[in-house]
Amino acid sequence: MLYKRVLVLPFVVLTCFLSFSQGSQSSIDQTLNFAKLVEWPSYQEAFKVHVITRNSDIKLAFQSLEKTDKLKGKAIDVSTTTYAVVPKNVNLIFISKQYNAAIPAILGRFGDKPILLVTEAYGEQQNVMFNIVPSADSFEYNPANISLQGLKLSGDPKSLGGREISLIDLYQKVRDSIRSVQLEAPSQEQMVDSLNINMAVARRLIRFQL
């Protein structure tokens, strides 16, 4: 029995590792496919990709692109950090889901530069350009945001299984958010009323003690 446990444990660890590595490689493959769908303006000798992640598997997989892949005849130059930054002359930024909270600030540094943002499991569709959805083994994209960065799609993301984020999707999210606030408003008013009553009682008690 002990012998079987000793054999099973390494097998489980190896299976988890392979699954995790395959997931990382899938993200890299999808990111490269996204870049190929875009019509890029003239850029420097190398296509610059910056990766913001703490995941060592993702780092290694992206760095392997420098040796194994090219983008439209250009070499790929990969840099990585574990903090949010927008390097000079970068063409594409990939952000791991652990940094999703920093995405609005990062987008604020883009300006009108032709930078493509690739996110992972990011829920704020109004900020999405290309967003990988691991749970569905798919991705979604927002052509409006891609266009606002001065980039054009030269291919159809739907041919790769992507789902376009429409204005209707964004409207429904805003509407649901407003409704949620409206539903919470009465309970918040009740809390304020309760606080006011408690403060009034406290004042009376203080006066009585004085």
Side-chain angles (χ1 to χ4, degrees), residues 5-207:
R5 287 180 181 175
V6 171
L7 284 177
V8 168
L9 184 58
F11 176 76
V12 171
V13 172
L14 179 61
T15 301
C16 292
F17 172 77
L18 289 175
S19 175
F20 192 69
S21 297
Q22 287 170 356
S24 300
Q25 187 59 49
S26 175
S27 295
I28 278 69
D29 292 340
Q30 285 181 297
T31 299
L32 191 60
N33 286 333
F34 300 155
K36 291 176 180 177
L37 288 171
V38 173
E39 183 179 319
W40 294 96
S42 57
Y43 52 90
Q44 56 275 13
E45 292 182 2
F47 184 84
K48 294 187 178 294
V49 176
H50 184 67
V51 181
I52 302 173
T53 186
R54 298 190 197 100
N55 186 321
S56 58
D57 285 336
I58 289 179
K59 286 181 184 179
L60 290 173
F62 266 106
Q63 288 167 345
S64 70
L65 293 178
E66 294 181 313
K67 301 176 182 177
T68 60
D69 292 273
K70 287 190 175 183
L71 184 67
K72 297 184 178 180
K74 299 282 187 178
I76 299 175
D77 181 12
V78 177
S79 59
T80 66
T81 57
T82 55
Y83 53 91
V85 64
V86 179
K88 186 178 180 181
N89 298 325
V90 69
N91 301 109
L92 184 151
I93 292 181
F94 174 90
I95 303 180
S96 285
K97 59 186 177 183
Q98 293 85 359
Y99 294 85
N100 280 350
I103 287 173
I106 291 171
L107 285 170
R109 300 175 197 169
F110 279 17
D112 58 356
K113 297 173 185 175
I115 302 173
L116 186 69
L117 180 68
V118 178
T119 51
E120 183 183 39
Y122 184 50
E124 302 300 323
Q125 292 180 322
Q126 70 274 14
N127 293 329
V128 164
M129 293 188 200
F130 281 101
N131 181 47
I132 297 169
V133 186
S135 60
D137 194 24
S138 182
F139 69 92
E140 56 188 3
Y141 67 101
N142 188 332
N145 285 340
I146 295 169
S147 178
L148 286 171
Q149 291 305 133
L151 298 170
K152 295 180 181 179
L153 291 172
S154 59
D156 184 6
K158 291 179 183 177
S159 66
L160 299 177
R163 187 185 75 85
E164 180 178 344
I165 297 171
S166 67
L167 290 175
I168 293 175
D169 292 330
L170 297 178
Y171 168 78
Q172 287 176 336
K173 275 204 126 182
V174 171
R175 183 198 62 187
D176 292 345
S177 178
I178 291 172
R179 285 180 178 174
S180 176
V181 170
Q182 289 172 337
L183 287 171
E184 290 175 3
S187 62
Q188 290 175 349
E189 289 175 1
Q190 290 172 3
M191 287 177 62
V192 171
D193 290 341
S194 177
L195 286 171
N196 288 334
I197 291 171
N198 289 336
M199 287 175 67
V201 171
R203 288 194 196 100
R204 288 177 185 175
L205 288 172
I206 291 169
R207 288 173 186 169

